[in-house]
Amino acid sequence: MGKTGNRSAHLVWDWNGTLLDDISTVIAATNAAFAEIGLAQITLERYRELYCVPVPRFYERLMGRLPTDDEWLVMDAAFHKHYWARADACGLAAGAAELLVRRQQSGLTQSLLSLAPHEHLIPIVRRHGIEERFVRVDGRVGASTSGKAEHMVRHLAGLAGVSAERVVVIGDAADDAVAAAHVGAKAVLYTGGSHSRASLESVGVPVVDTLEEAVTVAEELVA
């Protein structure tokens, strides 16, 4: 696949908050979910300071306790209802489309792994006209109460000829780095999404402010 055997990275891109510039929509949907059970509204800064996965733990940081099963079902349903009503208005991150084209045209490989539900992910990736840039696109299958690590195992198993030591995950969340480490891959974290720079830097992997820089650093990591 691609330049198998050379020193180039295979990039596994995250979607929400990385390739898709949707953080303002995420905040709006989160606040709509909070309103359903009477929680105070959250600012972008506080969201980036506290956000983590699994999402119930994020809610625990805000509420001082884990949500009950009933609360979780209400909040999760409200978030997805409000998010997907707004998602089509979100654009790609600055320079993302050009980066993906350039990499594909250079014969280098990349794939997409998201915790967005698979049935929602595929149509929105297609609408942005970038599906063909990836050798594989996977969304979440199953419940949304866990992180990306096991999904990463499944994703890499579907990438024939790509060894984990050549893989660099590019995402906006600490969980992206956790998932990368889980399969023996590397990670680069991007400040344009769900976490503050300070919280990303505490993870111990490279942190960048642009996707262009993310790709450059990713190649350096496997050189």
Side-chain angles (χ1 to χ4, degrees), residues 13-24 44-45 47-49 51 93-94 169-174 176 187-203 205-215:
W13 292 96
D14 174 55
W15 178 242
N16 302 100
T18 303
L19 289 176
L20 188 69
D21 182 14
D22 66 347
I23 189 63
S24 60
L44 172 60
E45 291 71 27
Y47 182 96
R48 282 179 162 161
E49 178 188 331
Y51 181 74
V169 178
I170 299 178
D172 68 313
D176 291 301
V188 178
L189 298 180
Y190 164 64
T191 60
S194 60
H195 283 32
S196 67
R197 173 174 268 280
S199 64
L200 292 179
E201 287 177 339
S202 71
V203 176
V205 302
V207 176
V208 299
D209 296 316
T210 69
L211 296 183
E212 184 109 30
E213 189 184 356
V215 172

mmCIF file of all heavy atoms in Angstrom, residues 13-24 44-45 47-49 51 93-94 169-174 176 187-203 205-215:
data_model
loop_
_atom_site.group_PDB
_atom_site.id
_atom_site.type_symbol
_atom_site.label_atom_id
_atom_site.label_comp_id
_atom_site.label_asym_id
_atom_site.label_seq_id
_atom_site.Cartn_x
_atom_site.Cartn_y
_atom_site.Cartn_z
ATOM 1 N N TRP A 13 -5.927 10.038 10.476
ATOM 2 C CA TRP A 13 -6.527 11.323 10.847
ATOM 3 C C TRP A 13 -7.744 11.122 11.744
ATOM 4 O O TRP A 13 -8.573 10.233 11.511
ATOM 5 C CB TRP A 13 -6.984 12.071 9.598
ATOM 6 C CG TRP A 13 -5.901 12.561 8.698
ATOM 7 C CD1 TRP A 13 -5.403 11.936 7.582
ATOM 8 C CD2 TRP A 13 -5.197 13.805 8.800
ATOM 9 N NE1 TRP A 13 -4.428 12.714 6.995
ATOM 10 C CE2 TRP A 13 -4.284 13.868 7.721
ATOM 11 C CE3 TRP A 13 -5.249 14.866 9.708
ATOM 12 C CZ2 TRP A 13 -3.432 14.944 7.520
ATOM 13 C CZ3 TRP A 13 -4.404 15.946 9.512
ATOM 14 C CH2 TRP A 13 -3.507 15.976 8.430
ATOM 15 N N ASP A 14 -7.871 11.976 12.730
ATOM 16 C CA ASP A 14 -9.122 12.145 13.469
ATOM 17 C C ASP A 14 -10.028 13.056 12.643
ATOM 18 O O ASP A 14 -9.562 13.778 11.752
ATOM 19 C CB ASP A 14 -8.808 12.766 14.838
ATOM 20 C CG ASP A 14 -10.055 13.103 15.619
ATOM 21 O OD1 ASP A 14 -10.891 12.212 15.821
ATOM 22 O OD2 ASP A 14 -10.200 14.275 16.023
ATOM 23 N N TRP A 15 -11.305 13.049 12.939
ATOM 24 C CA TRP A 15 -12.264 13.847 12.178
ATOM 25 C C TRP A 15 -12.711 15.085 12.951
ATOM 26 O O TRP A 15 -12.306 16.206 12.661
ATOM 27 C CB TRP A 15 -13.457 12.968 11.786
ATOM 28 C CG TRP A 15 -14.554 13.666 11.026
ATOM 29 C CD1 TRP A 15 -15.852 13.821 11.418
ATOM 30 C CD2 TRP A 15 -14.455 14.278 9.728
ATOM 31 N NE1 TRP A 15 -16.567 14.493 10.456
ATOM 32 C CE2 TRP A 15 -15.744 14.785 9.405
ATOM 33 C CE3 TRP A 15 -13.421 14.458 8.820
ATOM 34 C CZ2 TRP A 15 -16.000 15.461 8.213
ATOM 35 C CZ3 TRP A 15 -13.682 15.131 7.622
ATOM 36 C CH2 TRP A 15 -14.958 15.620 7.337
ATOM 37 N N ASN A 16 -13.535 14.897 13.981
ATOM 38 C CA ASN A 16 -14.106 16.039 14.707
ATOM 39 C C ASN A 16 -13.019 16.821 15.431
ATOM 40 O O ASN A 16 -12.235 16.263 16.193
ATOM 41 C CB ASN A 16 -15.147 15.570 15.722
ATOM 42 C CG ASN A 16 -16.268 14.794 15.078
ATOM 43 O OD1 ASN A 16 -16.271 13.573 15.117
ATOM 44 N ND2 ASN A 16 -17.194 15.478 14.464
ATOM 45 N N GLY A 17 -12.942 18.108 15.181
ATOM 46 C CA GLY A 17 -11.968 18.961 15.840
ATOM 47 C C GLY A 17 -10.586 18.905 15.227
ATOM 48 O O GLY A 17 -9.688 19.633 15.653
ATOM 49 N N THR A 18 -10.413 18.041 14.222
ATOM 50 C CA THR A 18 -9.118 17.924 13.547
ATOM 51 C C THR A 18 -9.314 18.293 12.077
ATOM 52 O O THR A 18 -9.069 19.427 11.688
ATOM 53 C CB THR A 18 -8.525 16.515 13.721
ATOM 54 O OG1 THR A 18 -8.416 16.222 15.122
ATOM 55 C CG2 THR A 18 -7.143 16.417 13.081
ATOM 56 N N LEU A 19 -9.774 17.358 11.267
ATOM 57 C CA LEU A 19 -10.060 17.707 9.866
ATOM 58 C C LEU A 19 -11.321 18.556 9.751
ATOM 59 O O LEU A 19 -11.406 19.436 8.884
ATOM 60 C CB LEU A 19 -10.208 16.432 9.024
ATOM 61 C CG LEU A 19 -8.924 15.643 8.777
ATOM 62 C CD1 LEU A 19 -9.239 14.362 8.016
ATOM 63 C CD2 LEU A 19 -7.888 16.478 8.018
ATOM 64 N N LEU A 20 -12.312 18.288 10.599
ATOM 65 C CA LEU A 20 -13.551 19.073 10.582
ATOM 66 C C LEU A 20 -13.485 20.149 11.667
ATOM 67 O O LEU A 20 -13.279 19.845 12.844
ATOM 68 C CB LEU A 20 -14.763 18.180 10.832
ATOM 69 C CG LEU A 20 -16.120 18.867 10.635
ATOM 70 C CD1 LEU A 20 -16.367 19.185 9.160
ATOM 71 C CD2 LEU A 20 -17.257 18.007 11.179
ATOM 72 N N ASP A 21 -13.643 21.396 11.253
ATOM 73 C CA ASP A 21 -13.607 22.528 12.186
ATOM 74 C C ASP A 21 -14.996 22.706 12.798
ATOM 75 O O ASP A 21 -15.795 23.523 12.351
ATOM 76 C CB ASP A 21 -13.175 23.787 11.437
ATOM 77 C CG ASP A 21 -13.057 24.995 12.355
ATOM 78 O OD1 ASP A 21 -13.043 24.810 13.586
ATOM 79 O OD2 ASP A 21 -12.990 26.128 11.836
ATOM 80 N N ASP A 22 -15.260 21.924 13.842
ATOM 81 C CA ASP A 22 -16.624 21.877 14.377
ATOM 82 C C ASP A 22 -16.713 22.220 15.856
ATOM 83 O O ASP A 22 -17.742 21.972 16.488
ATOM 84 C CB ASP A 22 -17.235 20.493 14.143
ATOM 85 C CG ASP A 22 -16.539 19.384 14.940
ATOM 86 O OD1 ASP A 22 -15.437 19.638 15.480
ATOM 87 O OD2 ASP A 22 -17.094 18.282 15.014
ATOM 88 N N ILE A 23 -15.668 22.815 16.438
ATOM 89 C CA ILE A 23 -15.669 23.004 17.881
ATOM 90 C C ILE A 23 -16.808 23.916 18.346
ATOM 91 O O ILE A 23 -17.424 23.667 19.390
ATOM 92 C CB ILE A 23 -14.297 23.516 18.398
ATOM 93 C CG1 ILE A 23 -14.241 23.508 19.931
ATOM 94 C CG2 ILE A 23 -13.946 24.871 17.827
ATOM 95 C CD1 ILE A 23 -14.371 22.153 20.575
ATOM 96 N N SER A 24 -17.147 24.943 17.568
ATOM 97 C CA SER A 24 -18.246 25.825 17.992
ATOM 98 C C SER A 24 -19.575 25.074 17.965
ATOM 99 O O SER A 24 -20.447 25.296 18.819
ATOM 100 C CB SER A 24 -18.316 27.074 17.109
ATOM 101 O OG SER A 24 -18.532 26.724 15.758
ATOM 102 N N LEU A 44 -16.175 27.825 25.736
ATOM 103 C CA LEU A 44 -15.160 27.097 24.970
ATOM 104 C C LEU A 44 -13.919 26.846 25.833
ATOM 105 O O LEU A 44 -13.369 25.736 25.834
ATOM 106 C CB LEU A 44 -14.783 27.896 23.721
ATOM 107 C CG LEU A 44 -13.594 27.361 22.909
ATOM 108 C CD1 LEU A 44 -13.856 25.953 22.399
ATOM 109 C CD2 LEU A 44 -13.278 28.304 21.744
ATOM 110 N N GLU A 45 -13.482 27.855 26.575
ATOM 111 C CA GLU A 45 -12.275 27.725 27.385
ATOM 112 C C GLU A 45 -12.439 26.634 28.442
ATOM 113 O O GLU A 45 -11.529 25.819 28.653
ATOM 114 C CB GLU A 45 -11.935 29.065 28.048
ATOM 115 C CG GLU A 45 -11.473 30.150 27.095
ATOM 116 C CD GLU A 45 -12.597 30.685 26.209
ATOM 117 O OE1 GLU A 45 -13.790 30.628 26.611
ATOM 118 O OE2 GLU A 45 -12.277 31.143 25.086
ATOM 119 N N TYR A 47 -14.589 24.156 28.403
ATOM 120 C CA TYR A 47 -14.712 22.876 27.699
ATOM 121 C C TYR A 47 -13.327 22.312 27.397
ATOM 122 O O TYR A 47 -13.027 21.156 27.683
ATOM 123 C CB TYR A 47 -15.499 23.073 26.403
ATOM 124 C CG TYR A 47 -15.736 21.800 25.614
ATOM 125 C CD1 TYR A 47 -16.923 21.086 25.756
ATOM 126 C CD2 TYR A 47 -14.773 21.311 24.734
ATOM 127 C CE1 TYR A 47 -17.143 19.917 25.049
ATOM 128 C CE2 TYR A 47 -14.982 20.138 24.014
ATOM 129 C CZ TYR A 47 -16.171 19.452 24.178
ATOM 130 O OH TYR A 47 -16.377 18.295 23.476
ATOM 131 N N ARG A 48 -12.461 23.145 26.823
ATOM 132 C CA ARG A 48 -11.120 22.669 26.453
ATOM 133 C C ARG A 48 -10.284 22.298 27.679
ATOM 134 O O ARG A 48 -9.419 21.430 27.611
ATOM 135 C CB ARG A 48 -10.405 23.745 25.629
ATOM 136 C CG ARG A 48 -10.883 23.790 24.184
ATOM 137 C CD ARG A 48 -10.207 24.867 23.382
ATOM 138 N NE ARG A 48 -10.356 24.631 21.950
ATOM 139 C CZ ARG A 48 -10.191 25.563 21.016
ATOM 140 N NH1 ARG A 48 -9.871 26.806 21.368
ATOM 141 N NH2 ARG A 48 -10.332 25.264 19.744
ATOM 142 N N GLU A 49 -10.571 22.950 28.783
ATOM 143 C CA GLU A 49 -9.846 22.656 30.021
ATOM 144 C C GLU A 49 -10.258 21.311 30.604
ATOM 145 O O GLU A 49 -9.430 20.577 31.158
ATOM 146 C CB GLU A 49 -10.140 23.776 31.028
ATOM 147 C CG GLU A 49 -9.518 23.642 32.393
ATOM 148 C CD GLU A 49 -10.043 24.709 33.351
ATOM 149 O OE1 GLU A 49 -10.398 25.802 32.886
ATOM 150 O OE2 GLU A 49 -10.108 24.421 34.554
ATOM 151 N N TYR A 51 -12.438 18.765 28.989
ATOM 152 C CA TYR A 51 -12.901 17.676 28.123
ATOM 153 C C TYR A 51 -12.006 16.445 28.220
ATOM 154 O O TYR A 51 -10.776 16.537 28.255
ATOM 155 C CB TYR A 51 -12.967 18.119 26.660
ATOM 156 C CG TYR A 51 -13.474 17.017 25.756
ATOM 157 C CD1 TYR A 51 -14.818 16.673 25.757
ATOM 158 C CD2 TYR A 51 -12.598 16.284 24.967
ATOM 159 C CE1 TYR A 51 -15.281 15.631 24.976
ATOM 160 C CE2 TYR A 51 -13.054 15.240 24.179
ATOM 161 C CZ TYR A 51 -14.404 14.918 24.187
ATOM 162 O OH TYR A 51 -14.857 13.893 23.420
ATOM 163 N N ALA A 93 -11.076 22.136 8.394
ATOM 164 C CA ALA A 93 -10.051 22.993 8.988
ATOM 165 C C ALA A 93 -9.224 23.644 7.887
ATOM 166 O O ALA A 93 -9.117 23.127 6.765
ATOM 167 C CB ALA A 93 -9.156 22.164 9.903
ATOM 168 N N ALA A 94 -8.637 24.784 8.211
ATOM 169 C CA ALA A 94 -7.858 25.545 7.233
ATOM 170 C C ALA A 94 -6.772 24.678 6.609
ATOM 171 O O ALA A 94 -5.962 24.081 7.322
ATOM 172 C CB ALA A 94 -7.231 26.760 7.905
ATOM 173 N N VAL A 169 -0.899 8.945 14.374
ATOM 174 C CA VAL A 169 -2.266 9.432 14.559
ATOM 175 C C VAL A 169 -2.222 10.942 14.733
ATOM 176 O O VAL A 169 -1.441 11.457 15.540
ATOM 177 C CB VAL A 169 -2.910 8.765 15.791
ATOM 178 C CG1 VAL A 169 -4.315 9.309 16.029
ATOM 179 C CG2 VAL A 169 -2.927 7.243 15.626
ATOM 180 N N ILE A 170 -3.045 11.662 13.974
ATOM 181 C CA ILE A 170 -3.156 13.114 14.123
ATOM 182 C C ILE A 170 -4.561 13.420 14.633
ATOM 183 O O ILE A 170 -5.561 13.121 13.967
ATOM 184 C CB ILE A 170 -2.903 13.855 12.797
ATOM 185 C CG1 ILE A 170 -1.479 13.569 12.298
ATOM 186 C CG2 ILE A 170 -3.118 15.364 12.975
ATOM 187 C CD1 ILE A 170 -1.145 14.222 10.961
ATOM 188 N N GLY A 171 -4.639 13.992 15.841
ATOM 189 C CA GLY A 171 -5.932 14.284 16.443
ATOM 190 C C GLY A 171 -5.865 15.486 17.351
ATOM 191 O O GLY A 171 -4.805 16.089 17.538
ATOM 192 N N ASP A 172 -7.012 15.810 17.955
ATOM 193 C CA ASP A 172 -7.107 17.009 18.800
ATOM 194 C C ASP A 172 -7.325 16.668 20.261
ATOM 195 O O ASP A 172 -7.538 17.568 21.075
ATOM 196 C CB ASP A 172 -8.273 17.884 18.317
ATOM 197 C CG ASP A 172 -9.632 17.233 18.572
ATOM 198 O OD1 ASP A 172 -9.781 16.033 18.249
ATOM 199 O OD2 ASP A 172 -10.533 17.907 19.094
ATOM 200 N N ALA A 173 -7.255 15.371 20.607
ATOM 201 C CA ALA A 173 -7.605 14.961 21.967
ATOM 202 C C ALA A 173 -6.563 14.026 22.554
ATOM 203 O O ALA A 173 -5.921 13.257 21.829
ATOM 204 C CB ALA A 173 -8.971 14.258 21.967
ATOM 205 N N ALA A 174 -6.424 14.083 23.866
ATOM 206 C CA ALA A 174 -5.513 13.172 24.549
ATOM 207 C C ALA A 174 -5.830 11.727 24.201
ATOM 208 O O ALA A 174 -4.930 10.892 24.072
ATOM 209 C CB ALA A 174 -5.618 13.387 26.062
ATOM 210 N N ASP A 176 -6.634 10.460 21.451
ATOM 211 C CA ASP A 176 -5.985 10.062 20.197
ATOM 212 C C ASP A 176 -4.588 9.516 20.474
ATOM 213 O O ASP A 176 -4.148 8.530 19.870
ATOM 214 C CB ASP A 176 -5.916 11.240 19.226
ATOM 215 C CG ASP A 176 -7.285 11.648 18.709
ATOM 216 O OD1 ASP A 176 -7.957 10.806 18.093
ATOM 217 O OD2 ASP A 176 -7.684 12.805 18.921
ATOM 218 N N ALA A 187 1.825 9.680 17.819
ATOM 219 C CA ALA A 187 0.742 10.640 17.715
ATOM 220 C C ALA A 187 1.275 12.065 17.681
ATOM 221 O O ALA A 187 2.332 12.365 18.256
ATOM 222 C CB ALA A 187 -0.228 10.485 18.892
ATOM 223 N N VAL A 188 0.524 12.930 16.998
ATOM 224 C CA VAL A 188 0.732 14.371 17.015
ATOM 225 C C VAL A 188 -0.620 14.986 17.339
ATOM 226 O O VAL A 188 -1.639 14.619 16.741
ATOM 227 C CB VAL A 188 1.233 14.896 15.646
ATOM 228 C CG1 VAL A 188 1.396 16.407 15.690
ATOM 229 C CG2 VAL A 188 2.541 14.222 15.250
ATOM 230 N N LEU A 189 -0.645 15.916 18.297
ATOM 231 C CA LEU A 189 -1.905 16.518 18.728
ATOM 232 C C LEU A 189 -2.003 17.976 18.275
ATOM 233 O O LEU A 189 -1.032 18.725 18.351
ATOM 234 C CB LEU A 189 -2.049 16.401 20.246
ATOM 235 C CG LEU A 189 -2.096 14.959 20.773
ATOM 236 C CD1 LEU A 189 -2.235 14.952 22.297
ATOM 237 C CD2 LEU A 189 -3.233 14.164 20.125
ATOM 238 N N TYR A 190 -3.199 18.334 17.855
ATOM 239 C CA TYR A 190 -3.501 19.625 17.208
ATOM 240 C C TYR A 190 -4.394 20.468 18.117
ATOM 241 O O TYR A 190 -5.366 19.953 18.693
ATOM 242 C CB TYR A 190 -4.180 19.322 15.870
ATOM 243 C CG TYR A 190 -4.903 20.442 15.197
ATOM 244 C CD1 TYR A 190 -4.226 21.576 14.756
ATOM 245 C CD2 TYR A 190 -6.277 20.346 14.957
ATOM 246 C CE1 TYR A 190 -4.913 22.601 14.104
ATOM 247 C CE2 TYR A 190 -6.957 21.354 14.301
ATOM 248 C CZ TYR A 190 -6.269 22.483 13.877
ATOM 249 O OH TYR A 190 -6.947 23.494 13.229
ATOM 250 N N THR A 191 -4.057 21.747 18.249
ATOM 251 C CA THR A 191 -4.731 22.622 19.227
ATOM 252 C C THR A 191 -6.046 23.225 18.733
ATOM 253 O O THR A 191 -6.661 24.005 19.457
ATOM 254 C CB THR A 191 -3.806 23.783 19.629
ATOM 255 O OG1 THR A 191 -3.487 24.547 18.448
ATOM 256 C CG2 THR A 191 -2.525 23.283 20.272
ATOM 257 N N GLY A 192 -6.508 22.870 17.544
ATOM 258 C CA GLY A 192 -7.698 23.518 16.988
ATOM 259 C C GLY A 192 -9.023 22.942 17.425
ATOM 260 O O GLY A 192 -10.075 23.401 16.979
ATOM 261 N N GLY A 193 -9.004 21.935 18.303
ATOM 262 C CA GLY A 193 -10.240 21.242 18.627
ATOM 263 C C GLY A 193 -10.633 21.277 20.080
ATOM 264 O O GLY A 193 -10.823 22.340 20.670
ATOM 265 N N SER A 194 -10.686 20.087 20.714
ATOM 266 C CA SER A 194 -11.382 19.937 21.996
ATOM 267 C C SER A 194 -10.549 20.233 23.232
ATOM 268 O O SER A 194 -11.095 20.373 24.319
ATOM 269 C CB SER A 194 -11.911 18.498 22.102
ATOM 270 O OG SER A 194 -10.836 17.577 22.041
ATOM 271 N N HIS A 195 -9.218 20.306 23.099
ATOM 272 C CA HIS A 195 -8.362 20.472 24.274
ATOM 273 C C HIS A 195 -7.585 21.785 24.213
ATOM 274 O O HIS A 195 -7.225 22.257 23.136
ATOM 275 C CB HIS A 195 -7.316 19.350 24.340
ATOM 276 C CG HIS A 195 -7.831 18.029 24.818
ATOM 277 N ND1 HIS A 195 -9.102 17.580 24.602
ATOM 278 C CD2 HIS A 195 -7.204 17.034 25.506
ATOM 279 C CE1 HIS A 195 -9.238 16.364 25.131
ATOM 280 N NE2 HIS A 195 -8.096 16.013 25.684
ATOM 281 N N SER A 196 -7.259 22.306 25.383
ATOM 282 C CA SER A 196 -6.339 23.433 25.454
ATOM 283 C C SER A 196 -4.923 22.945 25.164
ATOM 284 O O SER A 196 -4.619 21.757 25.303
ATOM 285 C CB SER A 196 -6.371 24.064 26.849
ATOM 286 O OG SER A 196 -5.840 23.155 27.801
ATOM 287 N N ARG A 197 -4.052 23.868 24.776
ATOM 288 C CA ARG A 197 -2.654 23.498 24.526
ATOM 289 C C ARG A 197 -2.037 22.897 25.799
ATOM 290 O O ARG A 197 -1.302 21.905 25.736
ATOM 291 C CB ARG A 197 -1.854 24.720 24.059
ATOM 292 C CG ARG A 197 -0.358 24.447 23.948
ATOM 293 C CD ARG A 197 0.394 25.614 23.343
ATOM 294 N NE ARG A 197 0.518 25.469 21.900
ATOM 295 C CZ ARG A 197 1.416 24.698 21.285
ATOM 296 N NH1 ARG A 197 2.259 23.968 21.998
ATOM 297 N NH2 ARG A 197 1.480 24.627 19.984
ATOM 298 N N ALA A 198 -2.333 23.487 26.942
ATOM 299 C CA ALA A 198 -1.753 22.999 28.196
ATOM 300 C C ALA A 198 -2.145 21.551 28.464
ATOM 301 O O ALA A 198 -1.307 20.728 28.861
ATOM 302 C CB ALA A 198 -2.182 23.886 29.364
ATOM 303 N N SER A 199 -3.404 21.210 28.247
ATOM 304 C CA SER A 199 -3.833 19.830 28.515
ATOM 305 C C SER A 199 -3.232 18.870 27.498
ATOM 306 O O SER A 199 -2.891 17.731 27.838
ATOM 307 C CB SER A 199 -5.359 19.716 28.561
ATOM 308 O OG SER A 199 -5.925 20.033 27.313
ATOM 309 N N LEU A 200 -3.050 19.321 26.253
ATOM 310 C CA LEU A 200 -2.410 18.467 25.252
ATOM 311 C C LEU A 200 -0.935 18.251 25.583
ATOM 312 O O LEU A 200 -0.409 17.149 25.439
ATOM 313 C CB LEU A 200 -2.545 19.073 23.858
ATOM 314 C CG LEU A 200 -3.950 19.111 23.253
ATOM 315 C CD1 LEU A 200 -3.915 19.770 21.886
ATOM 316 C CD2 LEU A 200 -4.559 17.715 23.155
ATOM 317 N N GLU A 201 -0.270 19.321 26.018
ATOM 318 C CA GLU A 201 1.165 19.202 26.298
ATOM 319 C C GLU A 201 1.442 18.257 27.464
ATOM 320 O O GLU A 201 2.525 17.679 27.563
ATOM 321 C CB GLU A 201 1.763 20.587 26.555
ATOM 322 C CG GLU A 201 1.886 21.399 25.264
ATOM 323 C CD GLU A 201 2.404 22.806 25.481
ATOM 324 O OE1 GLU A 201 2.297 23.307 26.626
ATOM 325 O OE2 GLU A 201 2.889 23.400 24.498
ATOM 326 N N SER A 202 0.462 18.071 28.337
ATOM 327 C CA SER A 202 0.657 17.165 29.473
ATOM 328 C C SER A 202 0.677 15.706 29.043
ATOM 329 O O SER A 202 1.062 14.827 29.818
ATOM 330 C CB SER A 202 -0.449 17.377 30.511
ATOM 331 O OG SER A 202 -1.689 16.884 30.029
ATOM 332 N N VAL A 203 0.267 15.433 27.796
ATOM 333 C CA VAL A 203 0.193 14.047 27.309
ATOM 334 C C VAL A 203 1.579 13.488 26.996
ATOM 335 O O VAL A 203 1.818 12.286 27.103
ATOM 336 C CB VAL A 203 -0.722 13.975 26.062
ATOM 337 C CG1 VAL A 203 -0.748 12.573 25.475
ATOM 338 C CG2 VAL A 203 -2.131 14.441 26.415
ATOM 339 N N VAL A 205 3.317 14.004 23.927
ATOM 340 C CA VAL A 205 3.599 13.828 22.498
ATOM 341 C C VAL A 205 3.660 15.218 21.863
ATOM 342 O O VAL A 205 3.243 16.207 22.482
ATOM 343 C CB VAL A 205 2.513 12.964 21.807
ATOM 344 C CG1 VAL A 205 2.408 11.597 22.474
ATOM 345 C CG2 VAL A 205 1.159 13.667 21.792
ATOM 346 N N PRO A 206 4.167 15.329 20.618
ATOM 347 C CA PRO A 206 4.247 16.658 19.993
ATOM 348 C C PRO A 206 2.875 17.325 19.863
ATOM 349 O O PRO A 206 1.880 16.660 19.562
ATOM 350 C CB PRO A 206 4.846 16.354 18.615
ATOM 351 C CG PRO A 206 5.593 15.075 18.791
ATOM 352 C CD PRO A 206 4.811 14.288 19.792
ATOM 353 N N VAL A 207 2.852 18.635 20.086
ATOM 354 C CA VAL A 207 1.637 19.442 19.984
ATOM 355 C C VAL A 207 1.875 20.545 18.961
ATOM 356 O O VAL A 207 2.917 21.218 18.999
ATOM 357 C CB VAL A 207 1.262 20.057 21.351
ATOM 358 C CG1 VAL A 207 0.044 20.972 21.228
ATOM 359 C CG2 VAL A 207 1.004 18.955 22.377
ATOM 360 N N VAL A 208 0.924 20.727 18.035
ATOM 361 C CA VAL A 208 1.085 21.697 16.949
ATOM 362 C C VAL A 208 -0.168 22.555 16.820
ATOM 363 O O VAL A 208 -1.238 22.194 17.299
ATOM 364 C CB VAL A 208 1.359 20.987 15.611
ATOM 365 C CG1 VAL A 208 2.641 20.163 15.672
ATOM 366 C CG2 VAL A 208 0.175 20.086 15.220
ATOM 367 N N ASP A 209 0.000 23.692 16.140
ATOM 368 C CA ASP A 209 -1.114 24.631 15.973
ATOM 369 C C ASP A 209 -1.736 24.600 14.583
ATOM 370 O O ASP A 209 -2.775 25.236 14.360
ATOM 371 C CB ASP A 209 -0.640 26.057 16.280
ATOM 372 C CG ASP A 209 -0.202 26.210 17.734
ATOM 373 O OD1 ASP A 209 -0.921 25.709 18.623
ATOM 374 O OD2 ASP A 209 0.853 26.823 17.971
ATOM 375 N N THR A 210 -1.112 23.903 13.636
ATOM 376 C CA THR A 210 -1.675 23.790 12.286
ATOM 377 C C THR A 210 -1.572 22.350 11.806
ATOM 378 O O THR A 210 -0.697 21.593 12.248
ATOM 379 C CB THR A 210 -0.940 24.688 11.267
ATOM 380 O OG1 THR A 210 0.388 24.163 11.061
ATOM 381 C CG2 THR A 210 -0.857 26.137 11.741
ATOM 382 N N LEU A 211 -2.443 21.985 10.872
ATOM 383 C CA LEU A 211 -2.390 20.637 10.321
ATOM 384 C C LEU A 211 -1.158 20.451 9.442
ATOM 385 O O LEU A 211 -0.597 19.345 9.376
ATOM 386 C CB LEU A 211 -3.669 20.342 9.533
ATOM 387 C CG LEU A 211 -4.961 20.336 10.360
ATOM 388 C CD1 LEU A 211 -6.141 19.951 9.486
ATOM 389 C CD2 LEU A 211 -4.865 19.404 11.568
ATOM 390 N N GLU A 212 -0.723 21.506 8.784
ATOM 391 C CA GLU A 212 0.496 21.429 7.977
ATOM 392 C C GLU A 212 1.684 21.036 8.859
ATOM 393 O O GLU A 212 2.490 20.163 8.502
ATOM 394 C CB GLU A 212 0.751 22.791 7.318
ATOM 395 C CG GLU A 212 1.927 22.817 6.381
ATOM 396 C CD GLU A 212 1.515 22.921 4.926
ATOM 397 O OE1 GLU A 212 0.458 23.512 4.624
ATOM 398 O OE2 GLU A 212 2.272 22.402 4.101
ATOM 399 N N GLU A 213 1.769 21.683 10.010
ATOM 400 C CA GLU A 213 2.843 21.353 10.950
ATOM 401 C C GLU A 213 2.694 19.919 11.464
ATOM 402 O O GLU A 213 3.687 19.206 11.659
ATOM 403 C CB GLU A 213 2.839 22.348 12.117
ATOM 404 C CG GLU A 213 4.038 22.227 13.035
ATOM 405 C CD GLU A 213 3.966 23.163 14.234
ATOM 406 O OE1 GLU A 213 3.020 23.975 14.337
ATOM 407 O OE2 GLU A 213 4.866 23.061 15.092
ATOM 408 N N ALA A 214 1.446 19.492 11.654
ATOM 409 C CA ALA A 214 1.199 18.130 12.132
ATOM 410 C C ALA A 214 1.774 17.095 11.170
ATOM 411 O O ALA A 214 2.405 16.117 11.594
ATOM 412 C CB ALA A 214 -0.300 17.895 12.319
ATOM 413 N N VAL A 215 1.579 17.309 9.874
ATOM 414 C CA VAL A 215 2.083 16.373 8.870
ATOM 415 C C VAL A 215 3.608 16.372 8.860
ATOM 416 O O VAL A 215 4.248 15.321 8.802
ATOM 417 C CB VAL A 215 1.513 16.722 7.481
ATOM 418 C CG1 VAL A 215 2.184 15.877 6.401
ATOM 419 C CG2 VAL A 215 0.005 16.508 7.458
#
